[in-house]
Amino acid sequence: MKITILDEAEQDLLNGFTFYESQESGLGDYFLNTLFGDIDSLKLYAGIHSKVFGFHRLLSSRFPYAIYYSLHNETVFVIAVLDCRRNPVRAETRLKKRRTQHIQG
């Protein structure tokens, strides 16, 4: 299974890194290592997660983040990596926009 992280999802990861690194030095690296480990697990477990807002959602093992992804022809597309502490309406709006971009791209 191939994994492709879309540019917007990479930006989500960078935003999370920046936030956690500002809390404590080194915590940002731990955040990225954890989230990339969670994303890597999709090589084995892609498709088993429930769908939320039209995408499969994997909850991070250590941080309050959700990884939203879709599957197409043996490829996992990571659409977004969003903070679960934020308003769910905001997440839904962002995912609708990204769905349109993903389908057009």
Side-chain angles (χ1 to χ4, degrees):
M1 185 87 47
K2 180 182 175 191
I3 297 177
T4 300
I5 302 174
L6 301 184
D7 292 342
E8 295 89 350
E10 285 185 9
Q11 185 60 52
D12 294 337
L13 288 165
L14 180 59
N15 292 344
F17 168 83
T18 302
F19 171 76
Y20 283 108
E21 194 62 24
S22 73
Q23 301 303 305
E24 182 179 332
S25 180
L27 189 55
D29 288 330
Y30 181 62
F31 169 80
L32 286 181
N33 288 334
T34 300
L35 270 289
F36 280 123
D38 293 332
I39 290 169
D40 229 25
S41 77
L42 293 174
K43 289 178 182 175
L44 295 174
Y45 300 111
I48 69 165
H49 306 95
S50 61
K51 285 192 172 184
V52 177
F53 306 130
F55 294 103
H56 291 281
R57 181 183 70 180
L58 163 64
L59 297 175
S60 174
S61 59
R62 297 271 185 230
F63 289 89
Y65 274 73
I67 300 161
Y68 293 89
Y69 67 94
S70 64
L71 287 168
H72 299 285
N73 301 326
E74 296 297 314
T75 301
V76 175
F77 293 94
V78 176
I79 306 297
V81 181
L82 303 178
D83 189 337
C84 293
R85 298 170 296 180
R86 306 290 303 260
N87 185 338
V89 173
R90 183 175 187 263
E92 182 177 20
T93 302
R94 290 176 73 186
L95 287 166
K96 281 182 181 178
K97 180 180 176 186
R98 291 183 188 186
R99 171 180 283 290
T100 303
Q101 293 169 343
H102 180 59
I103 291 171
Q104 291 172 352

